[in-house]
Amino acid sequence: MCGIAGYVGDYDAKSILYECIKRLEYRGYDSYGYAIISSNKLFVEKNVGYIKPISLNVRANIGIAHTRWATHGKVSKENAHPHTSCNNLIAVVHNGIIKNFKELRNELINKGHKFKSETDTEVVAHLIEEYLKENDFEEAFRKAILKLKGSFAIAAIYVNQPDKILIARNENPLLIGIGNFGNFIASDVNAFIKYTKRAIALDDFEYGIVTKNGFVIKDLYTKRKIKKSEIRIDWDEDLALKEGYEHFMLKEINEEPIVVSYALNINFDENILNLLLNSSKIYLIGAGTSLHAGMHAEYWFSKYCRIQAIATDATELFERCVVDKDTTIIAISQSGETYDTLVAMKEAKKHGAKIISIVNVPGSTATRLSDYTILQGAGVEVAVCATKTYVSQLVILLKLILELSKRLGYYDGFLDEEISSLKEKIENVLRNCNDIRKVANDMFKSKNYLFLSRGINLPSAYEAALKLKEITYFHAEGMSSAMLKHGTISLIDENMETIFLIPGSGRNRERIISNLHEVLSRGGKVLAITPKEVKDVVNIIVPDTSEDLLPIVFAPAYQLLAYYVAYKYGREIDKPRHLAKSVTVE
Ligand code: G6P
């Protein structure tokens, strides 16, 4: 979940590396570093904290950079990447975890190598140095990589061959960006999207040699050259800029109307529809926010298709589900790089299951592991906290399920008009942001929150709680309002703030309001987010729509609420502590 970037070409590597790595800061932001080669010398600059440009005043046409989310070794300048060999001729950056690093480190120490950090990564620089005694750079690099057990995306440069960056991958994303004035490497397309929209993705156990004028990709074991197809990233690079908004999160919430329009225009491949219609088992897998999107889909599948789909945390798939050749997995992942989701996908494939993925990042690993991919087209999402991509996942899943329902003869279009007005409804919530801000300022004084709802909006309660937790660092829990009385109600007192997500009409409205009174009568503080005012409590009013579409309208309201609460407490909204946008480790 760290970020890697590299450049080799005609231009000044220093400023390009800064631009690239800065755009990856959401992948980790404990510490950062650069290594560049200038006049046959390696220069390394690293530091703790947020990324700053290179201060060295030398000219370089090649370099690598890294932004770190610590796994092995504390956050310190020494542990920041790049790591170097004893002779200071080799520099390495790495994402992932090298499981056998202790053995390798001991072997290298016995051979006289001196280590400067506590990281697993440093062994790679020393291994290359060791193999360079009898091999050229490429072969030394390949042999070093073959010694590693674990997951990695690695890039290395060597002073004596200052024209190339060597890269290798296993279970961690790594791409080459094909530029006009040099080439790039990165763990994520965002790094180089300002410079090029043409990318090549490495797959597991491949390595690459990247030079100013080209690249070659080879199999790590056989050294056979591998032909790869080019990926075009149709993203607007400006989406990675704040454009006057104080935070990416706020900007991205404001992009939800556009994202909804895009999602509503997606046409599904006939093969995807047929596969789902002919599967005896459907499991929706994901992590965090993407899992919550899958949970909504479970409700929609049962209601509109009479299909029992199961949404599960990807790591639990094989603990609770029967996966075989009659199974279709719908893997949901914004980044397409979440380790837990990818592992479940690979395992499901081995069991003969077919995989459809819903992914935002083109060319990501999930897209390459899937039989079919539905690209979200939501554009880059920079804030760690997922907002617009969640709304896009919901709209895509709803549309997909209604399309299946139509083919099954259950759906005759009765929701179509309401669905086409979702964009306006979200715009309406966004216009009322000052009301939401006022509630955030007047309430939210506690350290504990409960988000409560029922039915299709129960996953909304989970997601609303997750948003608040992620960026405010307050404890929040999402749960069924009906289940409150089975234990959690004992927590209710004047310090417990409860937020109810309530539909505008119907049985669930009455039931949830009755649960709300259980809280009020025990002295709890209550906020209702609802299309129709609830008496005796503070309300945030959202536009009315069918209960089944409300998850899409509630989302911007509770996302803004979390945003303003975090703002009030001065949190690092776009980069909450300890988190990273995509978690590429186990
Ligand atoms: C991390 C992020 C979450 C995200 C989850 C799944 O935990 O902090 O915000 O929801 O990963 O990410 P994905 O890219 O697979 O949707």
Side-chain angles (χ1 to χ4, degrees):
M1 30 221 266
C2 316
I4 288 179
Y7 170 73
V8 50
D10 294 330
Y11 285 77
D12 177 27
K14 295 200 306 293
S15 53
I16 292 179
L17 286 175
Y18 170 65
E19 280 286 335
C20 291
I21 206 70
K22 191 73 191 157
R23 283 169 181 253
L24 294 189
E25 205 171 21
Y26 63 81
R27 295 185 70 102
Y29 29 86
D30 299 339
S31 46
Y32 66 94
Y34 305 92
I36 51 173
I37 299 173
S38 179
S39 315
N40 296 323
K41 236 185 123 196
L42 183 71
F43 293 88
V44 176
E45 186 168 305
K46 27 195 204 177
N47 228 325
V48 169
Y50 292 149
I51 299 174
K52 295 206 179 67
I54 308 181
S55 65
L56 291 163
N57 195 16
V58 292
R59 180 156 177 100
N61 297 102
I62 184 167
I64 50 178
H66 190 265
T67 176
R68 181 167 186 247
W69 188 91
T71 56
H72 286 77
K74 60 183 176 297
V75 178
S76 68
K77 199 166 161 173
E78 293 69 38
N79 288 339
H81 301 212
H83 292 287
T84 50
S85 52
C86 296
N87 59 13
N88 259 321
L89 297 177
I90 301 148
V92 171
V93 288
H94 162 230
N95 287 351
I97 293 173
I98 298 166
K99 289 186 177 153
N100 59 337
F101 87 99
K102 282 201 182 119
E103 295 120 79
L104 294 172
R105 190 177 164 112
N106 288 338
E107 277 174 32
L108 288 158
I109 289 172
N110 288 339
K111 287 184 179 154
H113 288 261
K114 298 242 173 334
F115 279 76
K116 299 174 278 258
S117 77
E118 303 157 321
T119 63
D120 51 344
T121 306
E122 195 183 337
V123 294
V124 184
H126 294 278
L127 275 174
I128 299 174
E129 180 176 25
E130 198 54 36
Y131 284 118
L132 265 171
K133 289 178 184 162
E134 286 172 14
N135 300 276
D136 65 12
F137 182 30
E138 182 182 329
E139 191 57 5
F141 177 79
R142 193 183 73 87
K143 284 190 168 152
I145 300 294
L146 285 175
K147 292 282 279 185
L148 310 178
K149 293 201 176 93
S151 63
F152 50 78
I154 289 177
I157 53 173
Y158 174 41
V159 169
N160 293 346
Q161 286 191 32
D163 62 335
K164 55 174 73 78
I165 304 175
L166 298 189
I167 55 176
R169 160 189 166 127
N170 181 37
E171 293 183 349
N172 261 267
L174 196 53
L175 298 120
I176 298 171
I178 310 166
N180 292 329
F181 50 88
N183 289 313
F184 302 81
I185 62 112
S187 48
D188 171 331
V189 291
N190 284 322
F192 50 67
I193 196 158
K194 180 177 166 191
Y195 303 104
T196 178
K197 296 197 165 139
R198 298 171 58 200
I200 299 282
L202 258 68
D203 285 296
D204 288 349
F205 303 112
E206 291 178 354
Y207 77 104
I209 303 116
V210 182
T211 55
K212 174 175 119 177
N213 297 319
F215 63 89
V216 182
I217 296 176
K218 296 184 181 177
D219 183 294
L220 257 174
Y221 296 107
T222 63
K223 298 195 246 179
R224 210 170 19 90
K225 280 193 192 163
I226 297 171
K227 263 187 104 87
K228 306 288 277 188
S229 38
E230 198 176 301
I231 306 159
R232 269 212 75 86
I233 320 293
D234 289 323
W235 280 358
D236 177 359
E237 74 253 28
D238 291 344
L239 282 177
L241 304 172
K242 278 195 202 143
E243 287 171 343
Y245 285 94
E246 197 169 345
H247 295 97
F248 278 112
M249 181 177 173
L250 188 59
K251 175 181 176 249
E252 286 155 6
I253 295 172
N254 277 281
E255 282 164 5
E256 285 174 6
I258 312 170
V259 158
V260 167
S261 299
Y262 183 90
L264 286 176
N265 282 319
I266 293 177
N267 288 317
F268 302 109
D269 181 336
E270 278 301 314
N271 293 318
I272 294 182
L273 299 168
N274 288 333
L275 179 59
L276 288 167
L277 289 172
N278 293 313
S279 300
S280 65
K281 294 184 280 298
I282 299 174
Y283 302 124
L284 299 126
I285 63 167
T289 296
S290 295
L291 169 61
H292 295 153
M295 288 178 169
H296 288 287
E298 184 181 312
Y299 284 78
W300 288 325
F301 262 118
S302 80
K303 181 153 181 191
Y304 296 113
C305 300
R306 299 182 202 166
I307 288 176
Q308 181 60 72
I310 295 176
T312 176
D313 150 356
T315 60
E316 295 292 318
L317 178 67
F318 283 88
E319 305 285 335
R320 59 187 286 221
C321 300
V322 179
V323 181
D324 57 24
K325 62 175 184 22
D326 299 320
T327 305
T328 299
I329 303 285
I330 303 183
I332 309 167
S333 175
Q334 185 287 126
S335 61
E337 301 294 355
T338 298
Y339 181 90
D340 292 333
T341 307
L342 296 181
V343 168
M345 289 170 77
K346 285 182 198 161
E347 200 54 34
K349 263 182 110 160
K350 280 194 207 146
H351 282 71
K354 288 272 184 282
I355 301 179
I356 299 167
S357 58
I358 300 178
V359 173
N360 192 38
V361 179
S364 55
T365 309
T367 65
R368 300 198 306 286
L369 286 176
S370 306
D371 296 285
Y372 305 101
T373 295
I374 302 169
L375 276 181
Q376 293 183 234
V380 56
E381 187 175 66
V382 178
V384 166
C385 193
T387 54
K388 65 171 177 175
T389 53
Y390 172 66
V391 169
S392 132
Q393 288 165 347
L394 291 184
V395 176
I396 291 169
L397 284 162
L398 177 69
K399 251 205 83 175
L400 177 67
I401 292 164
L402 291 180
E403 188 58 47
L404 294 169
S405 175
K406 204 182 281 172
R407 289 174 192 230
L408 289 165
Y410 303 133
Y411 182 65
D412 61 4
F414 61 91
L415 277 175
D416 285 1
E417 213 178 299
E418 273 196 78
I419 291 176
S420 60
S421 68
L422 278 171
K423 177 174 173 275
E424 284 72 41
K425 289 185 173 154
I426 291 181
E427 282 165 351
N428 183 309
V429 175
L430 299 175
R431 270 197 299 277
N432 288 340
C433 63
N434 284 334
D435 294 350
I436 299 176
R437 185 174 203 153
K438 188 168 172 345
V439 172
N441 288 339
D442 295 351
M443 296 180 77
F444 291 86
K445 299 197 164 125
S446 157
K447 286 198 164 135
N448 290 296
Y449 300 88
L450 288 176
F451 287 83
L452 302 152
S453 196
R454 288 174 85 135
I456 182 68
N457 283 296
L458 178 54
S460 307
Y462 299 148
E463 176 60 9
L466 181 64
K467 290 304 95 169
L468 193 82
K469 276 189 277 199
E470 276 181 291
I471 57 170
T472 67
Y473 317 149
F474 293 135
H475 174 245
E477 194 179 333
M479 67 183 294
S480 150
S481 59
M483 288 296 112
L484 192 63
K485 57 186 172 296
H486 297 291
T488 312
I489 202 161
S490 67
L491 294 176
I492 301 293
D493 62 15
E494 65 288 357
N495 296 318
M496 177 60 88
E497 298 195 30
T498 54
I499 300 99
F500 285 83
L501 301 166
I502 312 173
S505 58
R507 202 166 59 140
N508 276 338
R509 177 173 171 91
E510 279 152 33
R511 288 161 148 182
I512 299 171
I513 292 180
S514 140
N515 299 141
L516 178 152
H517 282 286
E518 291 162 6
V519 171
L520 271 186
S521 58
R522 284 163 182 83
K525 286 202 275 175
V526 175
L527 164 68
I529 306 183
T530 175
K532 205 167 132 212
E533 187 171 351
V534 177
K535 287 202 197 84
D536 305 325
V537 301
V538 178
N539 285 264
I540 290 176
I541 302 294
V542 297
D544 203 4
T545 190
S546 144
E547 184 177 346
D548 290 342
L549 304 187
L550 266 177
I552 298 162
V553 177
F554 277 150
Y558 62 67
Q559 291 166 352
L560 283 171
L561 193 61
Y563 173 82
Y564 289 123
V565 176
Y567 191 95
K568 168 166 102 171
Y569 289 99
R571 306 293 193 235
E572 273 292 343
I573 294 179
D574 287 336
K575 294 175 203 138
R577 71 182 180 201
H578 311 323
L579 296 181
K581 182 96 188 131
S582 62
V583 180
T584 54
V585 291
E586 194 168 5

